[in-house]
Amino acid sequence: MNLKRRQFLSLGGLTMSVGLVGWKLNVAMAATPNKNDLLLRFASVADTGTGAQGQYAVAKAMSYYHQQNPYDLVVLAGDNIYNNGEIEKIGAVFERPYEQLLTQGVKFHACLGNHDIRTDNGDPQIKYPGFNMKGRYYTFRRDAVQFFALDTNSNADWDNQIVWLEQELSRSDAPWKVVFGHNPFYSSGHYGVNPTLINRFSPLFQQYNVQLYINGHDHHYERTRAIDGTTYLTTGSGAGVRPVGSSEWTEYSAERLAFAVYDVYADRIEVSAMGTDKGIFDQGVIKFKSV
């Protein structure tokens, strides 16, 4: 069949348009992260142990997120039992608020906060099976991530702990290294910057490529930019909130009840923060950098 020139040009333009659309689709698909490459998903929350309405609201949001995007690990960054770490309160401040998660096999890995050590220096919490603690400081590995829990309290065994941390970091062949403790290194909230912790631990973080430090103590949410290769993330608004500002190293901060979720891939960790309205209010990416 002979085509007139106008028909031919029209069809040719259509073919070119379809080709361009196809090319754009291919580029878009190539740029979209493949969620099948997810290595591990975990959550973090801190300063939770009140048994009050705020804790239950955050716990409900955590359960909601779990239903949509399953995870089986939660970093619990201290002040697990208010006001004085009394283990007899464990049902009211842990087992009941997180019952839905616990019955579905989600494991919490805790560290000690300043309120936790007020009773028997926190020893009852260390022995409590639901907190999965191997000591005042300890390490465990999940897939591509090795976690290191610290005791950042004022009465910590600093000398031995620092030696232990350097040994464990040097032995680790995990591509991702995540450290958590109760006290912040960098905070735009009530407690501010902690030069003592920075001087003690930051050189090790830099030397052994610790990409993420998670803490509580300040009752807000805050995510820093990478500082000497480490992102510092405060998730201390697990039951209550205090005011927070912003600093030159702050990527995002918020005075709101919240928890954080981390999707770990080979080349990045995607961080999301969810409030009690079940909405994501912050998202960031921690890019993998080899030593």
Side-chain angles (χ1 to χ4, degrees), residues 82-222:
Y82 284 107
N83 279 323
N84 300 305
E86 310 97 315
I87 197 66
E88 60 268 20
K89 292 183 178 179
I90 197 68
V93 304
F94 179 71
E95 294 172 350
R96 286 198 287 278
Y98 307 113
E99 181 178 8
Q100 189 172 352
L101 292 173
L102 292 168
T103 56
Q104 295 181 56
V106 177
K107 287 190 174 183
F108 287 68
H109 288 262
C111 66
L112 296 173
N114 55 297
H115 284 268
D116 300 318
I117 63 172
R118 292 180 180 179
T119 296
D120 296 330
N121 203 23
D123 288 341
Q125 291 193 40
I126 294 173
K127 297 173 183 176
Y128 173 64
F131 285 163
N132 293 289
M133 299 177 68
K134 300 176 182 177
R136 310 192 77 80
Y137 45 89
Y138 63 99
T139 184
F140 65 97
R141 180 164 176 171
R142 282 291 307 276
D143 301 299
V145 184
Q146 186 152 356
F147 295 87
F148 305 83
L150 298 183
D151 178 5
T152 60
N153 288 294
S154 58
N155 66 345
D157 182 1
W158 292 110
D159 292 339
N160 287 327
Q161 183 173 201
I162 291 171
V163 170
W164 166 86
L165 181 62
E166 181 164 19
Q167 288 177 342
E168 294 297 333
L169 286 171
S170 67
R171 291 170 182 164
S172 175
D173 61 357
W176 291 102
K177 298 178 181 67
V178 175
V179 178
F180 63 97
H182 183 59
N183 293 74
F185 287 47
Y186 296 91
S187 171
S188 303
H190 176 74
Y191 291 104
V193 175
N194 190 320
T196 301
L197 288 180
I198 292 170
N199 292 334
R200 278 176 173 152
F201 290 110
S202 291
L204 292 181
F205 289 4
Q206 189 171 1
Q207 180 179 355
Y208 294 104
N209 200 28
V210 172
Q211 299 98 339
L212 174 62
Y213 175 78
I214 300 168
N215 64 271
H217 201 40
D218 258 331
H219 296 181
H220 64 258
Y221 171 87
E222 185 170 12

Side-chain angles (χ1 to χ4, degrees), residues 10-30:
S10 177
L11 287 172
L14 178 63
T15 302
M16 184 177 292
S17 297
V18 171
L20 285 172
V21 170
W23 176 78
K24 289 179 180 178
L25 282 172
N26 287 335
V27 170
M29 290 175 67

Side-chain angles (χ1 to χ4, degrees), residues 20-86:
L20 285 172
V21 170
W23 176 78
K24 289 179 180 178
L25 282 172
N26 287 335
V27 170
M29 290 175 67
T32 302
N34 185 356
K35 295 298 182 181
N36 292 330
D37 294 336
L38 180 69
L39 302 176
L40 176 68
R41 176 181 293 124
F42 69 97
S44 76
V45 69
D47 300 84
T48 55
T50 64
Q53 183 177 354
Q55 182 184 12
Y56 274 89
V58 175
K60 187 175 181 180
M62 293 173 70
S63 295
Y64 171 82
Y65 194 94
H66 177 266
Q67 291 169 6
Q68 315 298 318
N69 305 279
Y71 57 88
D72 62 4
L73 167 62
V74 177
V75 165
L76 189 59
D79 280 356
N80 315 309
I81 305 175
Y82 284 107
N83 279 323
N84 300 305
E86 310 97 315

